[in-house]
Amino acid sequence: MLFEIHAERSAADKKIFYYDNETNTLKSEDGTVFEYPQIPEQNSKPFVPFDRDRPLKKSRAIQLLKIQMGLSCNYSCDYCSQKFVERAPETSKKDIDVFLEKFKVLEFDETKGLKIEFWGGEPFVYWKTLKPLAEAILDKFSDWKRKPQFSVITNGSILNEEIIDWLMKLNFTVSISHDGPGQHVRGPDPFADPDKKKQILGFYRQMSRLKKGFSFNPMLNAQNISRKRIYDWFVEFTGDPNVVLGEGGIVDSYDADGMQNSLQTKQQHFEFRRIAFADIFSTGGQIGFKMQLDKIDGFIKNVLSHSNAEFLGQKCGMDDEHVLAIDLRGNVMTCQNVSSLETGKNGESHLGGNLDDYDNVAIKTSTHWSNREECPKCPVLHLCKGACMFLDKEFWDVSCANSYSDNVALFALAVEKITGYIPTLIKQDELPLERQDVFGTIYEHTEIEKKRIIPIKIVSEVVGEIEGVEVYGQSRVESVINTQ
């Protein structure tokens, strides 16, 4: 689809550009195309569309494996994507041998590399299982010179010297989920404990000094929308202006809490876009959020090389046939944030099958961006990449709106880098006015009062202990009221 982009350097210096989101081509009003002198060959495979009627299939040849240890966590954070997910029965180190036997159905290639992510819940709730599991997997690849790369995301609260030493010994990449100045919105703050703060800072400095992978992973939400404010907080916290911040996108609306923490009004969306643009533009990108900066640079590269939409994958990468999410029972799932017992938003099970019957594994919960009404008509398609592929109905609508505002700011930054002009208007008749008007400065916008579902009480309860750590169970909405 072709979009007419109105952009400016100043009130007296304005230009019009044209962007085609299918061919990923940007040109000026006189027809000059922005491109590399030599266009590199496209090495990717065209996408294969999928939905519940044409399920997503997986290859045996795996390059990224996500192992779901279980969904139990010692925290119950406000907008956790797993909060309302039905819990499968817990596993333990007794399940490792059977898991490794099932593991043999998968194929790995040292020349292509292998990344293995260990997921919770909180992964270190499962420390007595995770440790022997990771060591056993590493032993299976003892003849590889290029060892598998392990990674883990944690809330940091259970880390101790034993775990830290082990993570460093096995060359883990480590990320700690923390929202900086907005952590109070997310949930408990492990840094409020002076001893834990000292320990985590010591760990961070060791990893940084040895140039090992380490990041703090903040998320944005309606109450915490400035990446610069978050970056400044982490610079003060670590004393390091080169601190690496992962994630950094605005929350998806997986559930009632996700909706509550999303951008609600047009004016909130406009404010978010203005701040998101200014935070990066005013600092020249010295802002720590590597993922957002890489998205901008990647989009610029793809525009200048005309990388066609037919090669565009999903945001999370779980559409890739070489990426797999499994639990310790060998169940294949949509992704690491669900369970084998959970039903997807489209009514299909998140359980796609088992390693025991791999040829019949099929993911029916998800929809490829090309099969959604909005995505092929969207100017930020190549940045957004279809948002979360398993969301549907009102959850999809809210997440789509969040993702558009997040990515249209990055789109504007990329176009400015290419042309020297800042987009203020993206004209296309099928695009709503609040999406055409990038920063809310062109048109008048009337807020539409929506029917809202307001949770009265969301209950999260400790349901027991795992390896001596109290853990929360599946949250529930106890009562709601509808208001017009």
Side-chain angles (χ1 to χ4, degrees):
M1 180 170 280
L2 191 65
F3 300 89
E4 182 179 298
I5 300 173
H6 294 233
E8 59 184 62
R9 280 180 174 154
S10 67
D13 188 0
K14 301 181 180 182
K15 284 191 176 181
I16 293 176
F17 302 93
Y18 295 92
Y19 172 66
D20 188 323
N21 73 342
E22 183 176 347
T23 61
N24 211 7
T25 302
L26 179 69
K27 62 182 179 181
S28 62
E29 200 169 12
D30 65 8
T32 302
V33 177
F34 294 91
E35 60 187 0
Y36 288 129
Q38 290 185 318
I39 306 298
E41 286 188 26
Q42 177 58 253
N43 296 319
S44 302
K45 291 182 180 179
F47 65 71
V48 177
F50 53 84
D51 53 31
R52 73 164 78 192
D53 298 319
R54 295 172 294 174
L56 174 62
K57 303 292 286 183
K58 293 291 181 176
S59 168
R60 291 176 184 266
I62 299 301
Q63 296 172 27
L64 172 57
L65 184 65
K66 304 188 179 198
I67 301 177
Q68 169 58 257
M69 304 297 298
L71 294 179
S72 290
C73 186
N74 60 321
Y75 284 179
S76 181
C77 293
D78 204 34
Y79 52 80
C80 175
S81 60
Q82 302 171 340
K83 188 171 184 175
F84 291 92
V85 176
E86 186 172 355
R87 271 52 172 162
E90 297 290 358
T91 52
S92 72
K93 61 184 178 182
K94 296 177 182 178
D95 298 292
I96 293 176
D97 289 342
V98 174
F99 171 79
L100 292 176
E101 191 62 32
K102 293 187 176 191
F103 191 76
K104 292 178 180 178
V105 75
L106 303 177
E107 300 168 0
F108 309 101
D109 184 340
E110 183 180 358
T111 62
K112 293 182 179 178
L114 173 61
K115 295 181 179 180
I116 299 179
E117 301 172 356
F118 297 90
W119 287 85
E122 166 51 46
F124 294 113
V125 163
Y126 302 96
W127 167 239
K128 292 180 182 178
T129 304
L130 192 159
K131 182 177 184 290
L133 173 63
E135 291 172 354
I137 291 174
L138 197 59
D139 188 59
K140 290 180 70 69
F141 298 95
S142 59
D143 59 332
W144 281 23
K145 293 181 179 179
R146 183 186 175 192
K147 301 298 183 185
Q149 175 61 60
F150 290 166
S151 65
V152 66
I153 298 176
T154 171
N155 62 37
S157 64
I158 303 177
L159 290 176
N160 56 38
E161 293 306 318
E162 180 190 5
I163 294 174
I164 288 171
D165 289 346
W166 180 80
L167 290 169
M168 295 187 72
K169 179 182 176 182
L170 270 64
N171 290 312
F172 265 78
T173 294
V174 179
S175 299
I176 293 181
S177 298
H178 195 284
D179 287 353
Q183 180 66 16
H184 65 283
V185 179
R186 180 194 281 251
D189 187 353
F191 303 159
D193 178 344
D195 292 336
K196 185 62 63 179
K197 175 181 176 180
K198 181 179 178 181
Q199 186 179 63
I200 289 174
L201 279 173
F203 183 26
Y204 167 75
R205 287 164 182 152
Q206 286 185 75
M207 294 286 279
S208 298
R209 187 165 53 249
L210 296 172
K211 301 189 184 305
K212 294 178 179 285
F214 190 105
S215 67
F216 295 100
N217 287 13
M219 293 296 293
L220 307 187
N221 62 74
Q223 298 180 61
N224 192 31
I225 62 175
S226 172
R227 292 187 177 100
K228 184 177 186 305
R229 182 167 171 258
I230 295 170
Y231 167 72
D232 289 343
W233 190 96
F234 277 104
V235 169
E236 183 176 351
F237 178 72
T238 62
D240 183 5
N242 296 313
V243 61
V244 176
L245 303 178
E247 294 291 349
I250 193 162
V251 294
D252 279 317
S253 177
Y254 292 103
D255 48 48
D257 270 346
M259 282 194 166
Q260 291 282 67
N261 284 285
S262 293
L263 304 171
Q264 303 291 334
T265 67
K266 294 177 184 179
Q267 289 308 313
Q268 283 183 330
H269 279 276
F270 292 137
E271 181 188 14
F272 176 86
R273 296 175 199 173
R274 290 192 289 265
I275 290 173
F277 181 91
D279 279 351
I280 295 176
F281 187 73
S282 65
T283 60
Q286 182 61 37
I287 200 167
F289 283 93
K290 188 175 185 299
M291 188 175 293
Q292 279 63 42
L293 300 176
D294 286 349
K295 282 180 74 172
I296 294 168
D297 291 342
F299 179 63
I300 291 171
K301 177 182 176 182
N302 289 338
V303 168
L304 297 180
S305 58
H306 310 322
S307 180
N308 197 286
E310 68 175 320
F311 302 107
L312 187 67
Q314 293 288 143
K315 176 184 76 168
C316 62
M318 289 305 302
D319 60 313
D320 190 325
E321 64 176 341
H322 304 294
V323 178
L324 191 69
I326 56 177
D327 65 18
L328 284 189
R329 290 187 173 83
N331 292 316
V332 177
M333 302 172 295
T334 304
C335 74
Q336 73 281 359
N337 286 321
V338 298
S339 80
S340 59
L341 299 184
E342 179 72 3
T343 300
K345 296 294 190 287
N346 68 350
E348 298 287 345
S349 172
H350 278 297
L351 175 61
N354 194 279
L355 295 180
D356 285 340
D357 187 20
Y358 200 72
D359 289 339
N360 289 316
V361 165
I363 306 297
K364 298 181 180 181
T365 52
S366 302
T367 303
H368 188 267
W369 65 258
S370 64
N371 288 329
R372 295 195 187 268
E373 181 181 357
E374 302 90 345
C375 296
K377 303 174 184 178
C378 182
V380 302
L381 169 64
H382 287 259
L383 286 156
C384 172
K385 299 181 180 180
C388 177
M389 67 184 192
F390 72 74
L391 290 181
D392 205 357
K393 302 172 185 175
E394 69 270 22
F395 299 100
W396 161 257
D397 293 338
V398 174
S399 293
C400 175
N402 284 348
S403 186
Y404 184 87
S405 286
D406 199 359
N407 286 289
V408 78
L410 305 183
F411 178 88
L413 287 158
V415 171
E416 190 281 330
K417 272 193 170 185
I418 296 171
T419 68
Y421 288 77
I422 299 172
T424 57
L425 180 65
I426 304 174
K427 290 190 71 173
Q428 217 298 322
D429 289 344
E430 294 190 52
L431 199 64
L433 288 181
E434 65 270 17
R435 295 197 176 190
Q436 293 187 40
D437 190 352
V438 178
F439 301 114
T441 57
I442 306 299
Y443 302 125
E444 289 187 12
H445 299 275
T446 303
E447 298 290 352
I448 300 173
E449 190 171 350
K450 299 178 182 178
K451 183 178 181 181
R452 301 178 63 199
I453 299 178
I454 305 174
I456 296 299
K457 188 177 182 181
I458 294 176
V459 179
S460 301
E461 297 172 326
V462 171
V463 294
E465 290 187 0
I466 297 178
E467 299 177 9
V469 179
E470 287 189 341
V471 296
Y472 287 85
Q474 178 186 2
S475 297
R476 65 184 187 275
V477 178
E478 199 161 82
S479 57
V480 300
I481 59 171
N482 291 294
T483 61
Q484 184 68 43

